[in-house]
Amino acid sequence: MLVSPSSLLHLAVAVDGTGWHPASWREPVARPRELFTAGYWADLVTEAERGLLDFVTIEDGLGPQSSRFLDPDERTDQVRGRLDAVLIASRVAPLTRHIGLVPTAVVTHTEPFHLSKAIATLDYVSTGRAGLRVQITARPDEAAHFGRRTVPRIEAYDSPESQGLVNDLFDEAADYVEVVRRLWDSWEDDAEIRDVATGRFIDRDKLHYIDFEGRHFSVKGPSITPRPPQGQPLVTALGHQTVPYRLIARQTDVGYTTPHDTGQARAIVAEIRAEQEAAGRADELLHVFGDLLVFLDDDPAEAAARRDRLDSLAGEPYRSDARVFTGTPAQLADLLGEFQEAGLTGFRLRPAVLGHDLPAITRGLVPELQRRGAFRTAYESDTLRGLLGFQRPANRYAAASA
């Protein structure tokens, strides 16, 4: 299996609202009144770029946030409402130069044609720094927002009916990504001539129908947006078990996982690598990142006290799908090193309070990793693919026509 060409670890942050802890908006540094302004998001991303991070992911959804997994709630003491993640990324792209921008897009209920041109546009606006995090939804209330189909409520994930529904949603997501990738290739790189003297703007022979026919989609193509600067913006996804691991192995460039210890990390990496080989991608680079939610302070007691205070404000202890780390930047650097030895090639950190923990990452963790020779000291590429060690791919349709 191909892994990262460098021993340096890769580092991303996941930005969501005022932070991942539901009471984060009540902290003095949280800026909740600015949550729906462009300046707020620009500040977050430029801070991440100041720390030389590979990329940021931006959360999104098709319904209001909820404290319940599959149902809406009536809470009024937590952040509700979002801006569109792709539009946030496009807004902040001109204000940054190097960091990758990876908005989340829910691929259930939406159309791959629309998303393909949105991410291609983001790649142009950012001059080659766009990515995509695909996500499914099994929430009945979100299906009702579109009215095209109903999604039965999942009562127990271990029931055959629920497993069948989840499998079908991930199969649909795999087809969705395949359509998006083909649309990105539907224009050859030199399809635009733009010759004023001859009056030829485009070579129509270098635009291709993708003619995708699958169980979930029938898309003819071509796209209306020329091939993105990176050729193929990076596709990423979060996975917790075999079915999403299979999606990661089949269709993504970066998979986010949630191991709680190094033993789990080794097992997850082994499973994804096996699925990657089964998908015929053994010779392709595929990053496996670990997600951690972080409370970072110079004193571990301060970090623990801050977490306890936020839990008290929320009225209950915060639980996450990912491991929750509470401690110092040096202690986190130790843990990342252990996970890297278990086979992870990078990490996506979820700041508990963005106004506090994001600067603690960029100004505390990053210098600590640099002192250890484990993280870059300057950006080595102007594209997201380049930062993560990917080459610019050939166009599948150009090869076929040649």
Side-chain angles (χ1 to χ4, degrees), residues 21 23 26-27 293 295 297 300-318 324-327 352-353:
H21 194 287
R26 301 174 72 175
E27 288 286 271
L293 190 146
F295 293 83
D297 284 279
E302 292 179 8
R306 188 159 56 91
R307 179 179 177 181
D308 290 342
R309 185 178 72 254
L310 287 168
D311 284 349
S312 178
L313 288 171
E316 59 187 358
Y318 177 66
V324 179
F325 173 86
T326 306
V353 180

Side-chain angles (χ1 to χ4, degrees), residues 3-323:
V3 296
S4 175
S6 169
S7 61
L8 299 181
L9 61 82
H10 295 283
L11 205 58
V13 290
V15 295
D16 184 22
T18 57
W20 285 78
H21 194 287
S24 60
W25 70 277
R26 301 174 72 175
E27 288 286 271
V29 296
R31 302 166 62 189
R33 294 183 181 276
E34 301 173 53
L35 187 55
F36 301 110
T37 67
Y40 174 81
W41 295 96
D43 289 347
L44 293 178
V45 178
T46 53
E47 178 63 37
E49 184 171 69
R50 188 176 295 116
L52 305 178
L53 304 188
D54 290 84
F55 60 91
V56 297
T57 63
I58 304 168
E59 295 300 299
D60 208 342
L62 298 180
Q65 301 93 317
S66 176
S67 58
R68 301 172 184 169
F69 182 53
L70 290 173
D71 297 303
D73 66 15
E74 302 299 326
R75 297 189 71 149
T76 60
D77 62 335
Q78 297 178 1
V79 170
R80 295 293 181 265
R82 301 182 188 274
L83 300 180
D84 183 272
V86 176
L87 294 180
I88 290 173
S90 294
R91 176 63 180 84
V92 303
L95 306 178
T96 56
R97 295 183 56 196
H98 301 286
I99 194 166
L101 302 165
V102 183
T104 296
V106 181
V107 298
T108 313
H109 310 303
T110 60
E111 294 295 334
F113 189 91
H114 295 153
L115 185 61
S116 73
K117 67 186 182 73
I119 300 300
T121 300
L122 175 60
D123 209 40
Y124 276 102
V125 171
S126 65
T127 60
R129 294 180 286 123
L132 165 65
R133 183 173 92 85
V134 297
Q135 180 176 299
I136 68 160
T137 175
R139 289 179 55 168
D141 63 302
E142 294 183 358
H145 291 163
F146 294 84
R148 296 176 182 170
R149 61 181 175 183
T150 58
V151 175
R153 190 180 188 283
I154 294 177
E155 299 295 342
Y157 262 104
D158 55 357
S159 70
E161 296 81 10
S162 296
Q163 287 297 310
L165 170 61
V166 172
N167 291 352
D168 191 56
L169 289 174
F170 276 103
D171 284 344
E172 179 183 26
D175 278 1
Y176 191 113
V177 175
E178 179 63 22
V179 172
V180 167
R181 287 191 180 280
R182 292 190 189 191
L183 287 167
W184 285 336
D185 274 352
S186 63
W187 290 53
E188 294 186 32
D189 290 320
D190 55 352
E192 291 182 88
I193 301 169
R194 307 176 191 173
D195 190 329
V196 175
T198 63
R200 294 188 68 207
F201 187 90
I202 191 169
D203 184 345
R204 191 61 185 79
D205 291 336
K206 295 188 175 182
L207 270 63
H208 300 278
Y209 297 116
I210 69 168
D211 289 326
F212 182 90
E213 293 286 346
R215 179 172 158 228
H216 303 281
F217 302 102
S218 175
V219 180
K220 188 170 186 60
S223 176
I224 65 167
T225 306
R227 195 174 193 230
Q230 293 183 101
Q232 290 277 319
L234 292 190
V235 177
T236 74
L238 172 65
H240 299 98
Q241 56 184 330
T242 297
V243 173
Y245 293 160
R246 193 169 297 133
L247 172 66
I248 288 170
R250 289 166 61 187
Q251 285 289 11
T252 75
D253 306 293
V254 180
Y256 314 114
T257 64
T258 55
H260 285 245
D261 55 47
T262 55
Q264 284 186 356
R266 289 189 183 92
I268 290 169
V269 170
E271 184 170 0
I272 290 175
R273 297 301 180 199
E275 292 286 353
Q276 181 184 1
E277 185 169 8
R281 299 184 64 202
D283 295 331
E284 297 181 27
L285 177 59
L286 171 63
H287 282 290
V288 181
F289 277 33
D291 270 24
L292 295 97
L293 190 146
V294 297
F295 293 83
L296 287 176
D297 284 279
D298 292 334
D299 183 338
E302 292 179 8
R306 188 159 56 91
R307 179 179 177 181
D308 290 342
R309 185 178 72 254
L310 287 168
D311 284 349
S312 178
L313 288 171
E316 59 187 358
Y318 177 66
R319 293 180 174 83
S320 173
D321 57 319
R323 175 167 172 168

